Amino acid sequence: MASPLTRNAIEEAYSRIFKLIHRTPVLTSTSIDGIIGSGKQLFFKCENFQKTGSFKSRGALNAILKAKEHGEVKGVITQSSGNHGQALAWAANKIGVPCIVVVPINAPIPKVEAIAAYGAQIERCEATMTARLETCERIANETGYLSIDPHNDYDVMEGQGTIAKEFLEQVPDLDALFIAVGGGGMIGGISKYISEVNPKIKVFCVEPEGKEIQKSFEAGKRLWESGALLNTIADGVRVLRVGDKCFPVLQECCQKRVFSVNDEEISKAMFITMQRLKVVIEPSAAVCLAAVLKYRDELKEFQKIGIVLCGGNVDLNKMPF
Amino acid sequence: MASPLTRNAIEEAYSRIFKLIHRTPVLTSTSIDGIIGSGKQLFFKCENFQKTGSFKSRGALNAILKAKEHGEVKGVITQSSGNHGQALAWAANKIGVPCIVVVPINAPIPKVEAIAAYGAQIERCEATMTARLETCERIANETGYLSIDPHNDYDVMEGQGTIAKEFLEQVPDLDALFIAVGGGGMIGGISKYISEVNPKIKVFCVEPEGKEIQKSFEAGKRLWESGALLNTIADGVRVLRVGDKCFPVLQECCQKRVFSVNDEEISKAMFITMQRLKVVIEPSAAVCLAAVLKYRDELKEFQKIGIVLCGGNVDLNKMPF
């Protein structure tokens, strides 16, 4: 079956959501460019300024609005202790649809409070991915609510792809884009859009060490068996496995060279971003600068590099640096 | 003598500097608006993203470029351990003019290094305002360099006034503007521009406690006798005295009700700005949100309030919260 994820679908998603989301600015820093050297220019798309503090609002909003176009939506449900939970709660609230978010019992209280503050109902479950998915499915069946996955969902990917549409309008002549990969929803939408609109722009996956996307690329199939979480400070991309709807898009549209970074490198890049670019980001948003810093000698052919600062939801009293 | 500070002069300053400075974005936060309440909307003009991390680059650049239009500039000099020092060093470097910055011996090393990194020559002096001013004047006389004051200079005020030009283009229907006052250069330029372009917008002075601008307004003259520094975490506005060229502009163009805030209030507002708006600011840039939070019951008639986030040069390892 052909994937429904296309440039047209992403542009339709944009028409659907643009009035309720921020067109986030692109910032640059001569000082960070100086640290990278070799005349490279970095362009930072500030999705940390997006509604709810992360790009996730785009996909969540698109999924709900699109479902409503196809009939009544009784309510929506997801499992997430992080940005997708907040984003879905916010979007449901905006549209006037009930929302349930399943969170593990060990989820940080501020995150749960943020989700509840957007008006969502919280349901607790055991702190395993299996329990989270099962609880979500059970309640969806009981309530008839629409379950919206954080990444493994074409409507969500379409919404995230609108980042690329804006980014190309703001900086048309990028040479490469570096995107942090968790479940693969954001890079799925972005890389698909880029591949149709300007395939000269190379899209690279960046991951926390241990995820090993490149091995799956080389094997030609998803090698992850478990729904485990990586041990990384980049909590926004700690889900180990790339979704089965996302992975084929990455295979088709991304470069096969994958860049990996560790906590120390992420923490350093986070500090540089906050100190020099003057924006507050969460660790996941520092993953790509960490990769550009670490692998710059390998990136000689790319002058203009785009980075998506995916979110800014971080506890300022618990910084990793 | 009529002041040379006019709308036209500010617009000419804009034409002079706009290619080298950032047109900084205006950010909003539903979450901060919710904290303020009463349906108020706050608009944050992000001069923390400006070149060198503060609005000071506008005034410094305008002063040098304008001087060059009137003849050769051998070099420029100022005394500053803070943002103006960095800004003048940066602007001089951009234009290719030598620059000397006089800094007190107790100036923080990172700030001095930042000034030196832009290529300026550093001259040390005793840590009193008298020593700073005298050293600056002596070296200016010896070298023939043009001395550019951080605020008490019409060319500098013109440059800072360009913030208002951009802000009104970005948000034309503000009801009020809250501006932190140090020496009075920024609010001088901004309030003059507003008074000529849209006098319906009320411009309010906000100060760290102890400055007592309102007393000088009531006396109809500058009551400050010393060049002392206030003891405040808002180091960008700690100079006690408003300049003699700035004060008449404030008398003419600003509201006579002055708002004062203390360190605790500034620190809280700084935390809220960073956590909710996701931008890194220095304490001086939190002074105005602190005032809006503290005095909101007095501000019933104002719905759309503009705030200039004046700078983002803060040591992330030494946050006040």
Side-chain angles (χ1 to χ4, degrees):
Chain A
M1 192 191 79
S3 154
L5 185 71
T6 61
R7 169 190 183 159
N8 280 349
I10 292 165
E11 286 177 347
E12 281 169 22
Y14 189 77
S15 312
R16 213 172 270 129
I17 67 174
F18 80 95
K19 282 187 187 160
L20 290 172
I21 58 159
H22 288 305
R23 184 180 179 88
T24 55
V26 172
L27 297 180
T28 58
S29 162
T30 312
S31 144
I32 295 179
D33 291 349
I35 294 170
I36 305 290
S38 312
K40 284 199 201 319
Q41 286 183 282
L42 266 53
F43 297 85
F44 296 89
K45 173 80 172 153
C46 292
E47 286 295 301
N48 55 327
F49 299 157
Q50 192 48 268
K51 291 285 180 187
T52 75
S54 90
F55 72 94
K56 294 277 188 181
S57 299
R58 296 176 184 260
L61 183 61
N62 185 56
I64 302 179
L65 287 174
K66 198 172 169 186
K68 280 198 77 172
E69 288 170 9
H70 292 95
E72 197 207 349
V73 177
K74 256 184 90 178
V76 292
I77 181 169
T78 197
Q79 57 76 24
S80 164
S81 58
N83 289 336
H84 177 66
Q86 283 192 55
L88 195 71
W90 166 81
N93 185 275
K94 275 278 164 200
I95 309 304
V97 160
C99 177
I100 298 173
V101 180
V102 175
V103 301
I105 43 173
N106 64 347
I109 292 169
K111 297 222 168 196
V112 178
E113 286 177 345
I115 294 169
Y118 289 114
Q121 179 185 331
I122 304 290
E123 290 289 339
R124 305 271 182 174
C125 73
E126 293 301 311
T128 66
M129 190 50 79
T130 310
R132 288 163 62 163
L133 294 169
E134 283 176 1
T135 307
C136 193
E137 193 183 342
R138 176 178 56 74
I139 301 177
N141 287 335
E142 287 166 10
T143 55
Y145 281 16
L146 175 66
S147 179
I148 298 177
D149 192 84
H151 48 264
N152 206 34
D153 178 308
Y154 291 117
D155 299 341
V156 168
M157 274 193 268
E158 275 172 24
Q160 323 305 29
T162 62
I163 299 169
K165 177 180 154 58
E166 287 180 18
F167 209 165
L168 288 198
E169 285 165 6
Q170 292 163 311
V171 192
D173 55 346
L174 290 171
D175 296 314
L177 260 173
F178 278 61
I179 309 288
V181 185
M186 178 168 76
I187 195 167
I190 288 177
S191 66
K192 185 66 194 182
Y193 188 83
I194 298 283
S195 76
E196 289 197 39
V197 174
N198 188 348
K200 276 186 283 184
I201 302 173
K202 305 282 191 289
V203 181
F204 288 97
C205 301
V206 187
E207 63 178 15
E209 276 181 6
K211 196 173 177 74
E212 305 202 320
I213 297 171
Q214 193 163 330
K215 277 196 184 167
S216 286
F217 278 158
E218 285 160 5
K221 62 176 184 183
R222 295 161 73 234
L223 295 178
W224 306 280
E225 284 178 12
S226 80
L229 299 176
L230 275 167
N231 183 14
T232 169
I233 57 166
D235 56 317
V237 290
R238 68 183 169 162
V239 55
L240 180 61
R241 186 160 54 176
V242 174
D244 63 358
K245 292 177 181 153
C246 308
F247 186 72
V249 183
L250 273 57
Q251 279 184 301
E252 183 197 334
C253 306
C254 295
Q255 299 301 303
K256 296 303 165 294
R257 171 74 171 103
V258 174
F259 297 111
S260 304
V261 289
N262 65 31
D263 277 1
E264 194 185 332
E265 291 152 355
I266 295 169
S267 170
K268 186 181 157 200
M270 186 177 172
F271 182 84
I272 291 173
T273 305
M274 291 186 61
Q275 191 77 77
R276 309 280 178 145
L277 204 62
K278 316 293 184 195
V279 299
V280 173
I281 58 169
E282 55 187 78
S284 323
V287 165
C288 293
L289 178 60
V292 174
L293 274 165
K294 181 176 181 178
Y295 297 100
R296 55 192 146 181
D297 292 341
E298 212 184 298
L299 305 172
K300 289 211 167 58
E301 65 187 293
F302 307 113
Q303 281 298 295
K304 293 191 162 188
I305 296 178
I307 283 175
V308 177
L309 297 178
C310 51
N313 294 326
V314 64
D315 187 340
L316 291 172
N317 294 126
K318 290 180 188 163
M319 301 305 268
F321 46 77
Chain B
M1 191 192 81
S3 152
L5 185 70
T6 61
R7 170 191 181 159
N8 279 351
I10 292 165
E11 286 177 348
E12 282 169 20
Y14 190 77
S15 311
R16 214 173 268 128
I17 67 175
F18 80 95
K19 282 186 187 161
L20 290 173
I21 59 158
H22 288 305
R23 184 180 179 87
T24 55
V26 173
L27 296 182
T28 59
S29 162
T30 311
S31 145
I32 294 179
D33 291 349
I35 294 170
I36 305 291
S38 312
K40 285 199 201 318
Q41 285 182 282
L42 267 54
F43 297 85
F44 297 90
K45 173 81 171 152
C46 292
E47 287 293 302
N48 54 327
F49 299 156
Q50 192 48 272
K51 290 285 180 187
T52 75
S54 92
F55 71 95
K56 295 277 189 182
S57 300
R58 296 177 184 259
L61 184 60
N62 186 55
I64 302 179
L65 287 174
K66 198 172 170 186
K68 279 197 76 173
E69 288 169 9
H70 293 94
E72 195 206 350
V73 177
K74 255 184 93 178
V76 291
I77 180 167
T78 196
Q79 56 77 23
S80 164
S81 59
N83 289 337
H84 177 67
Q86 282 191 55
L88 195 72
W90 166 82
N93 184 276
K94 275 278 164 197
I95 309 304
V97 160
C99 177
I100 297 173
V101 180
V102 175
V103 301
I105 44 172
N106 64 349
I109 293 168
K111 297 222 168 196
V112 178
E113 285 177 346
I115 294 168
Y118 289 114
Q121 179 185 331
I122 304 290
E123 290 291 338
R124 304 272 181 172
C125 72
E126 293 302 311
T128 66
M129 190 51 78
T130 310
R132 287 163 63 163
L133 294 168
E134 281 176 3
T135 308
C136 193
E137 193 182 344
R138 177 178 54 75
I139 301 177
N141 287 335
E142 288 167 8
T143 55
Y145 280 17
L146 174 66
S147 179
I148 298 177
D149 192 83
H151 48 264
N152 205 34
D153 179 306
Y154 291 117
D155 299 341
V156 168
M157 274 193 269
E158 276 172 23
Q160 323 305 28
T162 62
I163 298 169
K165 177 180 154 58
E166 287 180 18
F167 208 165
L168 288 197
E169 285 166 5
Q170 292 165 311
V171 192
D173 56 346
L174 289 172
D175 296 313
L177 260 174
F178 279 62
I179 309 288
V181 185
M186 179 168 75
I187 195 167
I190 288 178
S191 65
K192 184 67 194 180
Y193 188 83
I194 297 283
S195 75
E196 289 199 38
V197 174
N198 188 349
K200 277 187 284 186
I201 302 172
K202 306 282 191 288
V203 181
F204 288 97
C205 300
V206 186
E207 63 179 14
E209 275 181 4
K211 196 172 176 79
E212 303 199 324
I213 298 172
Q214 193 163 328
K215 279 195 182 167
S216 286
F217 277 160
E218 285 160 5
K221 61 176 185 183
R222 295 161 73 234
L223 295 177
W224 306 280
E225 286 180 8
S226 80
L229 299 177
L230 276 167
N231 183 15
T232 168
I233 57 166
D235 57 317
V237 290
R238 68 184 168 161
V239 55
L240 181 62
R241 185 159 55 176
V242 175
D244 62 358
K245 292 178 181 153
C246 309
F247 185 71
V249 184
L250 274 57
Q251 279 184 300
E252 181 198 336
C253 306
C254 295
Q255 298 302 302
K256 295 304 165 293
R257 172 73 170 103
V258 174
F259 298 110
S260 303
V261 289
N262 64 31
D263 277 1
E264 195 185 329
E265 292 153 354
I266 295 168
S267 170
K268 186 182 156 199
M270 186 177 173
F271 182 83
I272 291 173
T273 305
M274 291 185 61
Q275 191 77 75
R276 310 280 179 145
L277 204 63
K278 316 294 183 193
V279 299
V280 173
I281 58 169
E282 56 186 79
S284 324
V287 165
C288 293
L289 178 60
V292 174
L293 274 166
K294 181 176 181 177
Y295 296 100
R296 54 192 146 183
D297 292 340
E298 211 184 301
L299 305 172
K300 289 211 167 58
E301 65 187 292
F302 307 112
Q303 282 297 297
K304 293 190 162 189
I305 297 177
I307 283 175
V308 178
L309 298 178
C310 51
N313 293 327
V314 63
D315 187 338
L316 291 173
N317 293 126
K318 290 180 189 164
M319 301 306 266
F321 47 77

